[in-house]
Amino acid sequence: MIELEKVDKAYARPGAAPVEALRDVSLGIGRGELIAIVGASGSGKSTLLNVLGLLDVPTRGAYRLDGADVSALDPEAQARLRNERIGFVFQAFRLLPRASALENVELPLLYSDRPRTNGLARAALEGVGLADRVHHRPAELSGGQQQRVAIARALVNGPDLLLADEPTGNLDLRSALEILAIFQRLQADGRTIVVVTHDAAVAAHCGRIARLEVGRIVSDAPVSAPRDAAAALRDLPLDIAAQPAQASQAGREAP
């Protein structure tokens, strides 16, 4: 589905040498994969996600989506492709504070060419377990619930590619596992998901891990037995259910 070929990304700086965020990155991602991109801060993870999401254009190299070189598209065509085929989930939930969960999820539909959009936002919220929270504003929701609203918003247009940037970084352990369980369920339904994380335990729930260092992919290997987030939720002791993920195994930084 995705093919990056010798992609570089450099950012110009006035009066200084360009910053090379990505260097000679070649990566293929098959349809229906759940892959983690791991690395320390500054390794190029978010830049790689921006390239995949058509928010950044490679300085050199090619990005092909289903065989088409999408990096060569004009900005309007790229924006249309983002709306139709790509969903984004961020660490900061980026919800409109004065809008309800339903109104937040409806936002991408305003820019959609779909002939009918009635009921899609409500169905997306139901799909992430928030049927009883559709009229709640973000301040009335927990962090995990807000992230589920953000996932519903990312999914409302039916994209086949979901890009998640540190999606569990602001969540407690139980909420983090709930988000990972949603991702695993979406993958089982055929969705392609790319998760950027510094967290080794989050990556262990994915079927494949690619590691970035100073803008280069230094390893790329399948996970022989990905952790089952739904099973971990069932086994989670009550006394640690609400601990911050950073204080648990799910918060350990990838080596």
Side-chain angles (χ1 to χ4, degrees):
M1 179 180 181
I2 290 171
E3 184 181 2
L4 297 180
E5 183 179 0
K6 296 185 178 299
V7 164
D8 294 348
K9 179 60 184 178
Y11 295 100
R13 295 187 298 172
V19 174
E20 295 185 354
L22 296 177
R23 308 178 186 187
D24 197 34
V25 170
S26 294
L27 179 69
I29 301 173
R31 187 174 298 278
E33 279 199 78
L34 172 54
I35 178 174
I37 308 294
V38 303
S41 177
S43 62
K45 304 187 306 295
S46 293
T47 299
L48 178 56
L49 206 71
N50 286 344
V51 168
L52 292 174
L54 299 174
L55 298 173
D56 269 336
V57 177
T59 306
R60 287 176 295 275
Y63 170 21
R64 288 184 284 273
L65 184 61
D66 286 335
D69 188 354
V70 293
S71 58
L73 296 174
D74 63 60
E76 183 177 348
Q78 288 187 342
R80 185 166 56 252
L81 191 62
R82 277 196 304 272
N83 182 262
E84 294 174 353
R85 298 197 57 189
I86 303 173
F88 295 88
V89 179
F90 303 97
Q91 179 175 352
F93 316 125
R94 301 189 182 183
L95 302 177
L96 297 179
R98 296 184 180 181
S100 68
L102 187 66
E103 290 166 338
N104 270 284
V105 175
E106 287 174 336
L107 281 175
L109 297 173
L110 300 178
Y111 307 96
S112 171
D113 293 331
R114 288 172 174 266
R116 297 184 61 185
T117 60
N118 289 345
L120 292 179
R122 186 178 293 272
L125 285 166
E126 291 173 354
V128 295
L130 292 177
D132 59 343
R133 296 289 189 272
V134 295
H135 298 302
H136 287 60
R137 294 182 179 182
E140 300 169 320
L141 301 171
S142 69
Q145 289 170 336
Q146 289 184 60
Q147 190 62 296
R148 281 190 274 162
V149 172
I151 292 172
R153 181 184 58 193
L155 295 172
V156 72
N157 269 329
D160 45 13
L161 173 61
L162 188 65
L163 304 176
D165 192 354
E166 299 284 4
T168 64
N170 288 339
L171 303 179
D172 60 71
L173 177 56
R174 176 173 293 280
S175 297
L177 287 171
E178 288 172 348
I179 298 305
L180 292 168
I182 290 172
F183 287 166
Q184 289 181 329
R185 187 172 71 246
L186 290 169
Q187 184 206 11
D189 290 339
R191 198 91 55 174
T192 305
I193 306 171
V194 181
V195 176
V196 158
T197 183
H198 70 280
D199 188 329
V202 168
H205 290 81
C206 301
R208 179 178 161 201
I209 298 175
R211 190 176 306 278
L212 273 175
E213 292 181 6
V214 290
R216 297 181 184 273
I217 292 182
V218 296
S219 65
D220 183 356
V223 177
S224 58
R227 294 180 186 170
D228 185 331
L233 274 170
R234 292 192 295 270
D235 297 338
L236 193 65
L238 292 177
D239 60 342
I240 67 166
Q243 287 185 6
Q246 301 301 338
S248 70
Q249 185 181 24
R252 295 178 185 169
E253 185 162 323

